């Protein structure tokens, strides 16, 4: 088993590819756990970041700086009474959050965290992602209907109309990015997620900068559409708190409600991953072609370790700033342990980076390992920036009205994305 | 197990087709009748894709895509008619849709 | 939901694939270079789901349940497409059917009077006639299949799958300045869609 | 939506049949010249995140379009006017704070001045200045609370916390002055009970310097924000004539272009001595009301600055008997509260208790405009309009 793992590390194939079924399974488990942890971390980070935007502290009581708050929340939600309204359609009410969750998690099958760090490499990868994420709307619609109540119904109708409309703009923006993959020697594009990133590598440019304004415009359109697609502020009409109480999940509580939250955040991460893959070069580090000397490789491979070192430093500052009162003792110890853990991870990563450097020429396991960490690190970093964008928008902007939202979708985004698509084709033909 | 051949797919398609026909001919609710039509269309395109595999060319798949296009158009128009009808007669029962003019 | 889940995890495109393949290798060891997902087990599972979904579409009282059953059927059929080496058709099926048309259906079901519809009789006045006609059709199919068993060869030609999308595009749009075989039909289809959109909008709008 | 749901709503409304008969919504037999597939009636409130307390609005919707509204009020009715008849003039003074609890100082000012007018006494000049300072501070606090909740209703979460941070400074001044933060009971009939504490002027001046940039900060977040503009412009438009016909007062009236402010029109307290402007709007939409209130906050700062600089020395209590027994007669006195014209009508029979006391609450009267303003708009606009009317249910229901 260990040998197989090592041989896998040494190989350069996608787990879903030939003879790697076992690792595909392990990847599925890793991704499931990773996404769940990411959602929890996102939950904590959103509350803290939002709080600091709003001159508050956010969760401070459960664990040092509220670090254990998501766990406490999850426990509370699991232990809560599970209410199904009497007039609700029992079966559909039960299955609705499951549909949403399945759709949100299924998308991760094709997300490439690295050239060989993906569950599978489908040749219709992006089509698959769009299709499966469009299934998420079914969960919302069905949830709103099954609740047999007015506010959820309105929320469901709103969000179904919203998601179906914005899927079109989103799809067109994606198509213009796919079109860019075809401007190579063979003239053939690809729908595979890994292929898209590889073609950015080959063309030596992230697609956000390709044909300068065009890629950027398509990217911005995609970002707007993806925010609408995930029902986040300023397009959170479906769950507009002040209008529809909680929209489609008004009648939900406890575990089922948390499933909705989980799928919402998972979907956010998923669409951000699409944006990163299509426009921001996926797992590619900045300037892979310009600064390609082995020395630069080494410098960039230090980033993961340094990031964790920075996080550890922040945590240690937090320990130092904690009140010296004895009732904070446990919290201080906890935070110090957390900081030490981060520091240990940082040390490990730095060690791997250094060990991988010395033998970067041959395909030693350390070098492979270092490369894998690099890929995942840059991918996750880019996605994390999107997560911050989501929070930032939520803290800053009021909510659009429903008709305005539809107007933006149909009268602004759709024509712009269509125009970008046509222009991309024209420019591509002229250039190549 | 017996290897799966085109014939197996045809049987499945035939079963879906017959189910669709039963739905169209017996259900009262127009929405469900429309859904049954979708079943029939699916059965047909399954046939086409199976034949495409059998002959080793893509014509069947292209036709399947055309069928999806047609299904989209049909659903849009059918449901549009349904909404217009519901506004006027407040019913979606196929038994009560018996006037040529209202 | 099982088909969705399977679809989530299998990937017959880069054979063999994903957890589905893993499951298969546990359930029924595969030999040779046969794609594991294209096994009889999966065929029977998916076709069973498709037919069961169709059955529920025809028999359930509540239109929303019917719609959910139809979604199961559609996704199962998409899987069958994948097993038939037609990944692009499968993707289109999911995006357009399950993600688009079915949402439209659900939307309309919610707009129209569903409370009363679910208390009504399920079947129309002439249902015995309809059932008889359908049974006759089934008889026709059975006799045709029994008698014409030999008409359908058992061969299954492997299609080049990695370039499936590209070949469909060639058929639809043509290649290197030449019109494809189906370019004209494709344009007509777009016209059909345009007419359908206009018709739907005009019919549903109260005042234009 | 469906037969079943309409019936269900009727059952709920059926709890108050008398009220129901007067309903202009025709809930039982909706006249449908054209059968509509998606007409539904929903109850917004009394437990709803955006109805500012316990307002219940029955909305008749066509999809999301509002066909009509009906406000059901009284969930917070405490019979303040009746209580007034059973308390002496002095004892009733704290009760008025509980009406518009976010602008308690204004309520007290109106009541004290009404009784003073009835008794023909006048508060000394210093008391009047203190009253003006506190009232204007309270106007800023009220507008800040309005801004925060209004923005929250429209979906901007952050301004709420900014305004509450700054409102806190005002409440601190109140607390230092009279010991209470919300229901202050700051004034007495005939003047003020408390002399200003040491450093009062300095703190108020500090506050002025502190809050002026903060108001710019709120405006920075909202005034030119595209989404804010789209959500508020041409939403809930009401003309000046309609406002006058409905009796709407305050910023809502002024935003419709009617330059009517009791501080100028019928100066009370010391307002005639200050130099300030009446900001008015043009379109009478939600955005204009927002701008008018923001401008009013700045004008209030001006008034406070003048008052603090010019505060005279002298007594703070006029010549008022120990037992207040106004002569037989009646009086109507109104002031410009943050939400509009707050009037007190007091009938005295010469005893220590009012014979009849009637309050004209601005929120209650302004709420009448809701139906005019939201017809034909969307559900989301109802939220915006309820927010822009700046109602306090304690005052509506009394």
């Amino acid at each position: 088993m260990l040998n197989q793992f090592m041989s896998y590390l040494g190989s350069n194939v996608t787990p879903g590819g030939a003879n790697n079924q076992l690792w595909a399974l392990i990847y599925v488990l890793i991704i499931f756990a990773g996404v769940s942890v990411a959602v929890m971390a996102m939950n904590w980070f959103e509350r803290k970041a939002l709080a600091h935007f709003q001159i508050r502290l956010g969760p401070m009581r459960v664990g040092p700086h509220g670090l254990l708050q998501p766990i406490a929340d999850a426990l509370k939600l699991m232990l809560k009474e599970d209410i199904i309204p009497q007039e609700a359609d029992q079966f559909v009410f039960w299955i609705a959050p499951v549909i949403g969750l399945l759709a949100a998690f299924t998308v991760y099958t094709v997300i490439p965290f690295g050239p060989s760090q993906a569950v599978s490499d489908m040749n219709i990868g992006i089509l698959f992602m769009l299709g499966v994420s469009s299934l998420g709307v079914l969960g919302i619609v069905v949830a709103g209907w099954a609740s047999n109540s007015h506010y959820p119904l309105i929320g469901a109708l709103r969000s179904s109309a919203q998601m179906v409309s914005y899927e079109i703009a989103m799809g067109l923006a994606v198509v213009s990015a796919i079109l860019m993959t075809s401007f190579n020697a063979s003239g053939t594009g690809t729908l595979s997620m890994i292929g898209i990133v590889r073609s950015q590598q080959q063309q030596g440019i992230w697609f956000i900068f390709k044909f300068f304004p065009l890629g950027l415009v398509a990217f911005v359109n995609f970002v707007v559409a993806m925010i609408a697609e995930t029902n986040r502020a300023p397009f959170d009409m479906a769950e507009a708190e002040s209008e529809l109480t909680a929209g489609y999940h008004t009648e939900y509580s406890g575990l089922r409600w948390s499933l909705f939250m989980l799928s919402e955040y998972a979907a956010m991460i998923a669409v951000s991953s699409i944006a990163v893959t299509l426009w921001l070069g996926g797992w590619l580090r900045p300037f892979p072609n310009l600064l390609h000397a082995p020395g630069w490789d080494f410098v960039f491979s230090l980033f993961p370790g340094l990031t964790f070192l920075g996080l550890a430093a922040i945590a240690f500052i937090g320990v130092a700033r904690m009140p010296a009162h004895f009732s904070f003792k446990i919290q201080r110890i906890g935070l110090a342990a957390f900081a030490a853990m981060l520091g240990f991870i940082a040390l490990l990563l730095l060690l791997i980076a250094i060990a991988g450097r010395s033998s970067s020429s041959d395909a030693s396991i350390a070098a492979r390992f270092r490369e894998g960490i690099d890929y995942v690190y840059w991918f996750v970093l880019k996605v994390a920036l999107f997560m911050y964008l989501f929070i930032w928008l939520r803290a800053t902007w009021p909510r659009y009205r429903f008709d305005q939202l539809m107007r933006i979708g149909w009268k602004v985004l759709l024509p712009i994305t269509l125009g970008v698509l046509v222009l991309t084709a024209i420019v591509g033909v002229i250039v190549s | 197990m017996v290897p799966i051949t085109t014939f197996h797919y045809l049987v499945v398609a035939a079963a879906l087709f017959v189910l669709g026909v039963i739905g169209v001919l017996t259900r009262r609710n127009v929405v469900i009748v429309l859904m049954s039509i979708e079943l029939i269309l699916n059965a047909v395109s399954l046939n086409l894709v199976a034949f495409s595999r059998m002959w080793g060319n893509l014509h069947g798949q292209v036709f399947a895509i055309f069928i999806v296009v047609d299904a989209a158009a049909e659903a849009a128009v059918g449901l549009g008619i349904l909404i217009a009808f519901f506004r006027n007669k407040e019913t979606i029962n196929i038994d009560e849709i018996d006037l040529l003019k209202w | 939901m099982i088909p969705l889940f399977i679809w989530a995890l299998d990937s017959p495109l880069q054979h063999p694939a994903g957890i589905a393949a893993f499951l298969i290798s546990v359930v029924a060891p595969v030999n040779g270079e046969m794609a594991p997902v294209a096994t009889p087990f999966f065929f029977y599972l998916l076709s069973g789901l498709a037919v069961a979904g169709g059955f529920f579409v025809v028999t359930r009282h509540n239109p929303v349940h019917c719609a959910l059953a139809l979604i199961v059927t559609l996704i199962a059929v998409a899987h069958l497409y994948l097993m038939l080496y037609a990944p692009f058709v499968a993707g289109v099926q999911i995006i357009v059917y399950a993600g688009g048309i079915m949402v439209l259906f659900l939307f309309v079901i919610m707009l129209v009077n569903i409370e009363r519809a679910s208390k009504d009789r399920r079947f129309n006045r002439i249902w015995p006639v309809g059932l008889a006609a359908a049974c006759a059709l089934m008889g026709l199919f059975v006799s045709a299949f029994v008698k014409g068993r030999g008409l359908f060869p058992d061969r299954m030609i492997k299609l080049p799958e990695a370039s499936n999308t590209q070949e469909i595009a060639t058929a639809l749009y043509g290649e290197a300045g030449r019109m494809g075989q189906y370019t004209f039909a494709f344009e007509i289809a777009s016209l059909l869609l345009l007419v359908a959109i206009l018709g739907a909008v005009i019919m549903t709008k109260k005042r234009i | 939506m469906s037969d079943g749901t309409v019936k269900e709503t009727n059952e709920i409304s059926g709890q108050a049949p008398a009220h129901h008969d007067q309903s202009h919504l025709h809930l039982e037999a909706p006249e449908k010249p054209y059968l509509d597939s998606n007409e539904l009636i929903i109850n917004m409130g009394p437990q709803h995140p955006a109805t500012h307390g316990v307002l219940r609005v029955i909305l008749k919707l066509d999809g999301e379009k509002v066909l009509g509204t009906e406000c059901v009020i009284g969930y917070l009715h405490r019979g303040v006017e009746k209580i007034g008849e059973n308390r002496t003039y002095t004892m009733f003074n704290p009760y008025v704070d509980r009406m518009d609890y976010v602008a308690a100082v204004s309520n007290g000012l109106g009541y004290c001045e009404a009784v003073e007018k009835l008794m023909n006494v006048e508060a000394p000049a210093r008391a009047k200045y203190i009253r003006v300072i506190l009232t204007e501070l309270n106007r800023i606090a009220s507008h800040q609370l309005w801004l925060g909740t209004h923005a929250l209703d429209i979906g901007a979460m952050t301004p709420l916390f900014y305004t509450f941070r700054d409102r806190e400074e005002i409440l601190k001044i109140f607390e230092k002055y009279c010991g209470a933060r919300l229901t202050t009971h700051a004034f007495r009939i005939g003047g003020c009970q408390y002399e200003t504490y040491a450093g009062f002027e300095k703190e108020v001046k500090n506050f002025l310097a502190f809050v002026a940039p903060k108001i710019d900060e709120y405006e920075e977040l909202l005034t030119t924000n595209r989404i804010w503009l789209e959500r508020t412009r041409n939403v809930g438009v009401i003309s000046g004539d309609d406002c006058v016909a409905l009796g709407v007062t305050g910023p809502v009236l002024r935003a419709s272009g009617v330059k009517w402010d009791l501080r100028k029109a019928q100066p009370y307290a010391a307002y005639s001595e200050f130099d300030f402007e009446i900001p008015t709007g043009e379109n009478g939409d939600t955005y204009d009301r927002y701008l008018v209130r923001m401008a009013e906050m700045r004008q209030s700062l001006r008034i406070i600055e003048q008052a603090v600089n010019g505060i005279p020395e002298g007594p703070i209590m006029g010549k008022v008997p120990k037992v207040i027994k106004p002569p037989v007669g009646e009086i109507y006195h109104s002031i410009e509260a943050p939400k509009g014209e707050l009037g007190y009508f007091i009938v005295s029979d010469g005893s220590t208790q009012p014979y009849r006391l009637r309050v004209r609450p601005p929120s209650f009267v302004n709420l009448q405009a809701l139906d005019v303003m939201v017809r034909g708009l969307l559900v989301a606009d109802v939220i915006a309009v309820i927010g822009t009317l700046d109602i306090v249910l304690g005052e509506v229901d009394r």
Side-chain angles (χ1 to χ4, degrees), chain A residues 15 38 44 50 74 99 114 128 155 185 197 208 223 247 259 279 308 316 390 411 414 416:
Chain A
W44 177 83
L50 209 55
I99 297 177
F128 176 92
V197 181
I208 187 174
V223 169
L259 290 186
W279 281 282
F308 272 91
F316 270 121
F390 275 116
K411 294 189 182 165
L414 188 61
I416 290 179

Side-chain angles (χ1 to χ4, degrees), chain C residues 110-113 115 206, chain D residues 1-2 34 36-37 62:
Chain C
M110 288 174 197
L111 287 181
V112 299
N113 194 339
E115 297 287 329
K206 270 175 255 173
Chain D
M1 184 68 202
S2 62
Y34 196 85
D36 220 315
S37 52
D62 169 14

Side-chain angles (χ1 to χ4, degrees), chain D residues 168-368:
Chain D
E168 190 66 23
E169 302 302 318
I170 300 175
L171 298 188
K172 274 181 195 161
I173 294 175
F174 287 169
E175 190 178 6
K176 263 190 158 177
Y177 175 71
C178 58
R181 286 156 52 89
L182 198 66
T183 49
T184 47
H185 191 202
F187 309 137
R188 298 294 183 273
I189 296 162
C192 307
Q193 188 180 7
Y194 309 110
E195 183 51 85
T196 56
Y197 58 90
F200 174 78
E201 279 106 356
K202 190 162 161 274
E203 271 188 21
V204 171
K205 275 180 191 163
N206 282 347
F207 170 75
L208 295 181
F210 163 80
V211 85
K214 301 290 180 196
I215 295 175
D216 296 339
E217 198 180 322
Y218 313 150
E219 288 226 50
E220 215 168 275
L221 264 173
L222 297 173
T223 305
T224 51
N225 185 321
R226 273 189 77 90
I227 303 179
W228 181 259
L229 287 171
E230 289 202 27
R231 281 303 304 275
T232 54
R233 264 198 191 155
N234 296 322
V235 167
V237 180
I238 188 165
S239 70
D241 292 341
D242 279 352
C243 280
V244 174
L246 285 163
V248 173
T249 49
V252 184
L253 175 69
R254 290 193 282 277
S256 302
V258 181
K259 205 164 184 170
W260 175 257
D261 188 325
L262 288 173
R263 289 175 293 178
K264 285 268 193 206
Q266 304 166 8
Y268 54 93
Y271 280 110
S272 54
E273 296 163 33
F274 303 125
D275 174 34
F276 64 98
E277 273 150 33
I278 307 173
T280 53
E282 285 163 14
N283 309 321
D285 57 8
T286 303
Y287 185 63
D288 275 11
R289 286 188 279 276
Y290 158 76
L291 287 183
V292 163
R293 287 198 176 95
M294 298 310 278
E296 270 186 20
M297 276 155 74
R298 296 215 168 83
Q299 294 301 326
S300 291
L301 292 182
R302 267 178 79 187
I303 297 173
I304 297 169
E305 198 176 2
Q306 294 170 44
V308 171
N309 287 333
I311 189 164
E313 292 300 318
I316 53 161
M317 201 64 189
K319 289 206 171 80
V320 187
K322 281 267 188 278
V323 177
I324 293 172
K325 271 189 171 179
V328 179
E330 56 182 52
I331 189 80
Y332 176 76
H333 179 70
S334 57
I335 63 158
E336 186 71 27
K339 293 168 179 60
E341 178 182 345
L342 172 66
Y344 289 89
F345 178 66
I346 304 174
V347 180
S348 165
D349 56 0
S351 68
T352 56
Q353 296 175 347
Y355 177 72
R356 171 81 173 94
L357 191 142
R358 152 84 190 154
V359 185
R360 183 215 185 270
S363 296
F364 176 68
V365 182
N366 289 358
L367 188 56
Q368 291 187 99

Side-chain angles (χ1 to χ4, degrees), chain C:
Chain C
M1 279 301 96
I2 295 165
L4 181 68
F5 195 61
I6 295 163
W7 205 54
L9 300 171
D10 76 2
S11 145
L13 317 166
Q14 287 274 329
H15 305 278
I19 204 169
F22 175 71
L23 283 176
I24 281 305
S25 63
V26 173
V27 175
V30 204
N31 48 356
E33 31 79 57
M34 178 73 185
V37 283
T39 51
F41 171 76
F42 264 85
F43 172 78
Y44 290 122
L45 178 71
L46 292 170
S47 48
L49 274 169
V51 173
F55 178 75
F56 284 124
V57 170
V58 177
T59 52
R60 292 297 298 183
H61 244 131
N62 194 323
V64 171
H65 293 181
C66 293
L68 286 177
L70 183 55
I71 289 166
V72 171
T73 303
L74 292 175
I75 295 175
V77 170
H79 280 79
L80 291 175
Y81 292 162
L82 286 180
M83 291 176 67
L84 286 166
Y85 292 88
F88 188 74
V89 181
V92 168
Q93 166 104 349
I94 293 292
I95 289 190
V96 179
Y97 256 122
I101 298 177
M102 287 323 291
V103 173
L104 188 66
F105 267 103
L106 283 170
F107 206 88
V108 170
I109 292 170
M110 288 174 197
L111 287 181
V112 299
N113 194 339
I114 186 170
E115 297 287 329
R116 226 186 68 196
S118 62
K119 285 176 196 110
D120 265 353
R121 285 186 298 121
R122 255 178 290 181
F123 301 111
N124 59 21
R125 282 193 296 264
I126 54 154
W127 70 267
V129 182
L131 198 59
C135 287
L137 185 68
M138 192 165 72
L140 192 67
F141 277 137
V142 169
S143 67
F145 283 160
V146 168
K147 286 191 176 161
R149 178 74 177 81
L151 288 176
F152 307 111
D154 280 350
R155 66 170 180 210
M156 295 290 262
I157 295 170
K158 261 199 176 170
L159 290 169
E161 196 182 350
S163 57
N164 175 279
T165 311
Q166 197 192 342
E167 282 177 15
I168 287 179
T170 312
L172 282 179
Y173 307 115
E175 195 177 15
R178 259 183 315 111
M179 238 169 66
Q181 197 176 356
Y182 293 100
T183 307
F184 190 67
F186 184 76
E187 296 298 328
I188 296 287
S190 66
L191 203 65
L192 173 77
L193 274 182
L194 182 68
V195 171
I197 292 169
L198 286 179
V201 169
I202 287 170
M203 267 183 294
T204 39
K205 205 132 172 98
K206 270 175 255 173
R207 287 160 225 86
I208 296 161

Side-chain angles (χ1 to χ4, degrees), chain A residues 53-56 150-151 153-154 158 234 241-243 245 394-395 397-401 403-404 407, chain D residues 40-44 48-50 64 153-155 157-158 161-162 165 225 227 230-231 235 378 381 383:
Chain A
F53 273 114
Q54 297 168 345
I55 48 168
R56 326 177 258 130
H150 278 153
Y151 286 121
L153 188 70
I154 296 179
R158 276 182 175 192
E241 197 183 330
S242 52
E243 294 158 28
T245 51
R394 186 174 169 202
W397 276 345
R399 184 180 296 123
Y400 263 115
R401 205 172 59 207
D403 58 325
Q404 292 163 349
R407 204 186 60 217
Chain D
L40 78 159
I41 290 172
I42 63 172
N43 266 304
M44 197 182 259
H48 187 279
E64 291 226 5
D153 287 349
I154 291 185
M157 301 164 78
T158 310
F161 296 95
Y162 287 14
R165 169 192 63 190
N225 185 321
I227 303 179
E230 289 202 27
R231 281 303 304 275
V235 167
L378 303 175
D381 294 328
I383 307 297

